[in-house]
Amino acid sequence: MIKKMIEVSGLKKSFKTNHVLKDVSFTVHKGNIFALLGSNGAGKTTVVKILSTLLKPDSGNVSIGGFDVVCQGDYVRGCSSLTGQFVAVDEVLTGRENLYLIGQLKRLTDVKSKVDEWLSFFDLEDAADRKVSTYSGGMRRRLDIAMSLMGNPQVLFLDEPTTGLDPQNRIAMWDLVKSLVAEGTTVFLTTQYLEEAEYLADNIAILHGGKILAEGTPQYLKEIIPQRGAQLNFQNERKAVEAMKLLNDKGITVDSIEKKLPSIEEVFLTLIDEKKEDSNHE
């Protein structure tokens, strides 16, 4: 039986008259990558802050690893970790010193071996004893995540982790996230890059207007949008030309038919547009 690592039900949060989260519900299973998509200002970071105990919800039920985020915050923080949008490393210290500091703050046993382990995992061994001020953006982000993983949290929250990275470092970060999940970590990811969610996520939720518009696997989300047609494959160009003219009444054989499913980007834009149209008609 698959364990539910994150459970959110009826989550609401307002800032004065701004109702950011109106009724948010979703579930994340253990060992999965869950991506929360949404436009700027949709409330993605607000969700992450509530899940990581940095912000209290107005109402609703939220649990991480079976612990309530409001009543059992210490336990939630003990089993989870957060890497925010902005890299949080000390540039005066070396990479090794940053990791060692976190290990001491968390009172970990055998800190040295854990530091060496994560330096190796994140391919930072050669730069370990250099000041972080000399690191590239991709190296700083890797170190930032390594610091979050000191103590082996069950759940890792990644709030737009590839923002500002070049394409090469973004792809490297994707591979890194996949590796973390292979080691047993559950990853909750927010992103504005739709292809990132499509490549990484086991399940995706689309947040808009304070609510989840749709949730499911990438395949499921693609199939809930009306079909955009099909791709027909023929043995040669001549048949293709004939088919264009005579398919309906000549019974030309089609070698294969492939569904033309929309991309996650098309799904996202379609659902957002439909929501806007519904709002305009209200």
Side-chain angles (χ1 to χ4, degrees):
M1 183 177 180
I2 300 176
K3 182 179 179 181
K4 295 177 181 178
M5 186 58 71
I6 302 174
E7 294 185 83
V8 177
S9 177
L11 179 60
K12 297 180 181 179
K13 183 63 182 179
S14 298
F15 299 95
K16 295 183 178 180
T17 59
N18 183 16
H19 304 297
V20 178
L21 305 177
K22 299 176 182 177
D23 185 8
V24 172
S25 301
F26 57 82
T27 300
V28 182
H29 290 124
K30 182 179 180 180
N32 278 7
I33 302 174
F34 184 94
L36 183 63
L37 299 182
S39 306
N40 279 334
K44 302 186 300 296
T45 297
T46 299
V47 171
V48 170
K49 285 184 176 180
I50 291 173
L51 267 57
S52 57
T53 76
L54 295 177
L55 194 63
K56 288 187 177 181
D58 294 337
S59 62
N61 297 307
V62 182
S63 66
I64 310 294
F67 301 113
D68 185 275
V69 297
V70 176
C71 303
Q72 299 171 298
D74 287 344
Y75 293 101
V76 171
R77 288 185 287 274
C79 72
S80 63
S81 192
L82 167 65
T83 298
Q85 292 183 31
F86 305 103
V87 174
V89 295
D90 191 324
E91 296 189 353
V92 176
L93 300 178
T94 67
R96 186 185 306 279
E97 288 169 341
N98 269 277
L99 288 169
Y100 197 85
L101 176 61
I102 296 298
Q104 288 183 313
L105 290 173
K106 291 189 174 183
R107 299 179 181 177
L108 302 179
T109 58
D110 199 10
V111 175
K112 184 180 182 301
S113 69
K114 300 233 179 255
V115 169
D116 290 339
E117 175 187 343
W118 287 120
L119 285 171
S120 174
F121 185 88
F122 285 90
D123 195 24
L124 290 169
E125 290 172 298
D126 292 342
D129 297 309
R130 282 168 36 199
K131 287 189 176 182
V132 174
S133 58
T134 68
Y135 283 20
S136 67
M139 292 169 68
R140 293 184 191 200
R141 179 52 93 183
R142 296 204 305 274
L143 177 62
D144 192 28
I145 295 178
M147 291 164 66
S148 296
L149 290 168
M150 289 291 287
N152 297 311
Q154 298 176 55
V155 180
L156 178 62
F157 297 107
L158 297 176
D159 192 9
E160 301 191 18
T162 61
T163 297
L165 295 183
D166 60 38
Q168 182 178 0
N169 277 312
R170 282 181 63 206
I171 292 172
M173 189 61 60
W174 294 355
D175 292 339
L176 175 60
V177 171
K178 288 278 192 182
S179 299
L180 292 175
V181 172
E183 295 291 325
T185 306
T186 301
V187 173
F188 183 95
L189 168 77
T190 72
T191 181
Q192 295 182 58
Y193 300 118
L194 303 178
E195 75 277 13
E196 183 166 270
E198 184 166 5
Y199 177 77
L200 286 175
D202 297 294
N203 283 280
I204 296 171
I206 297 175
L207 179 65
H208 181 75
K211 297 181 179 181
I212 299 295
L213 297 186
E215 178 192 351
T217 65
Q219 182 73 14
Y220 167 78
L221 292 179
K222 292 178 180 182
E223 291 179 347
I224 64 175
I225 301 298
Q227 294 296 318
R228 306 294 179 88
Q231 177 175 312
L232 307 181
N233 300 315
F234 300 89
Q235 291 179 348
N236 55 58
E237 185 176 349
R238 182 173 174 274
K239 278 191 176 183
V241 173
E242 291 177 357
M244 292 291 291
K245 300 176 181 178
L246 307 171
L247 185 60
N248 288 332
D249 54 4
K250 294 295 183 179
I252 296 175
T253 301
V254 177
D255 296 310
S256 65
I257 298 178
E258 297 177 5
K259 285 185 177 180
K260 289 292 288 182
L261 293 175
S263 66
I264 290 298
E265 180 175 3
E266 290 174 314
V267 173
F268 178 83
L269 294 174
T270 299
L271 290 173
I272 297 299
D273 288 343
E274 288 177 354
K275 186 65 176 178
K276 288 179 179 177
E277 288 179 9
D278 291 341
S279 298
N280 291 334
H281 291 144
E282 288 178 357

